[in-house]
Amino acid sequence: MATSTTTSFTFPSTYNFPPFFTPQPNSTTRYSQLQKWSSLIQSWCRHHRTYRLSLGDAVDSPLFHNAALHKRLDLAEARVVVDWMTKKEEEGGGGQRAEWIESASASGNTMPKSVAWIWWRRPEELADVLVDWIDATGQRGMVLTVFELVQGEATVSQEFHGIDNDVLMKALNVLVKRGKASVFGTEGEEGVKFF
C-alpha cells in the first residue's frame, strides 16, 4: 500500500517498511535499499519540481521522516545515500543521479556535503527536452532569452518552465558542446540561439 501526503505525493510501499530507514548490513540488500532511496528521492524532487535538495531541510520533511512509523533517515545516512547517487553505475553507484553543490562558509572553508543537485532529469536529458520543444515550436535559428525559456508564457506547459537557472544553464551548455546552441550575454541577461 502506498502512502500519500497532503501534497499528493505517493510514497512507495517500502516507505512503510521500518528497515527501509536502517542501513542494511548485507551488501545485496544494501544495494537494493540504496536504489530504492535513489528512486524515491528522484520521484520526490520531480513531484516538487526541484533539482536542488538541501539535506538539512529534507531530513525533517516527509521525504526522510516517516512520522507514522516514527522512523527517519538521519543527516549522516541521507548524505551516504546522496553520495551513492553521485557515483557511476559501473563503480557500484547510483548512475550519477546527484551532484554535490559546493558551498563556502563565511571563513571561506568548504562546507560539508549538505546541498545536492538531484538529477531526475540529467542535464543531457533536459537538453534533449529543450531541443524537442524548439523543433516542435519551429524556433530553430531564433534567439530566446533564458528568462523566456524559464518564465515565458510559451513554456508554461513544459517541464523546464520555472526551472532553476543554474540547471537550465547546465542543459544549455550541453547543447553548446553538441553544437546545437550558442549562449551569449551577461549573467542574468543571457540569450540563446538554437541551431
Side-chain angles (χ1 to χ4, degrees):
M1 176 176 96
T3 304
S4 294
T5 66
T6 55
T7 61
S8 75
F9 179 77
T10 303
F11 285 91
S13 58
T14 54
Y15 184 78
N16 293 314
F17 187 54
F20 184 56
F21 292 86
T22 305
Q24 297 301 302
N26 176 286
S27 62
T28 303
T29 307
R30 178 65 170 162
Y31 185 79
S32 176
Q33 180 184 38
L34 290 167
Q35 287 178 316
K36 289 175 182 166
W37 270 112
S38 175
S39 178
L40 172 57
I41 292 167
Q42 289 175 63
S43 296
W44 174 270
C45 289
R46 182 179 199 130
H47 176 79
H48 292 287
R49 295 186 48 82
T50 185
Y51 281 90
R52 189 183 302 249
L53 183 68
S54 168
L55 294 183
D57 296 334
V59 293
D60 292 324
S61 76
L63 173 60
F64 292 125
H65 181 212
N66 185 326
L69 292 179
H70 304 290
K71 293 294 238 174
R72 73 170 58 234
L73 211 60
D74 65 22
L75 181 59
E77 182 59 16
R79 196 173 280 135
V80 167
V81 170
V82 174
D83 222 25
W84 180 83
M85 292 173 66
T86 67
K87 295 183 174 89
K88 295 178 181 179
E89 286 178 21
E90 55 270 15
E91 295 171 355
Q96 295 180 301
R97 286 295 177 175
E99 178 184 337
W100 290 111
I101 300 171
E102 288 191 24
S103 58
S105 67
S107 64
N109 297 329
T110 301
M111 300 289 285
K113 299 172 180 176
S114 60
V115 181
W117 295 118
I118 302 299
W119 300 123
W120 48 272
R121 276 248 201 239
R122 289 186 188 106
E124 298 81 10
E125 296 165 339
L126 192 54
D128 293 337
V129 170
L130 283 165
V131 167
D132 290 346
W133 179 77
I134 289 296
D135 288 343
T137 56
Q139 296 190 71
R140 272 197 197 267
M142 305 287 290
V143 174
L144 299 169
T145 65
V146 168
F147 180 83
E148 285 176 299
L149 290 170
V150 174
Q151 301 295 329
E153 285 183 30
T155 65
V156 169
S157 64
Q158 302 303 307
E159 73 177 73
F160 54 84
H161 183 82
I163 197 170
D164 186 298
N165 275 7
D166 291 338
V167 174
L168 182 67
M169 292 308 295
K170 285 180 177 282
L172 290 173
N173 285 332
V174 168
L175 293 175
V176 168
K177 287 178 186 169
R178 291 179 184 170
K180 295 189 176 215
S182 176
V183 178
F184 51 88
T186 59
E187 188 174 329
E189 297 180 12
E190 296 94 348
V192 186
K193 184 171 184 176
F194 294 91
F195 310 117

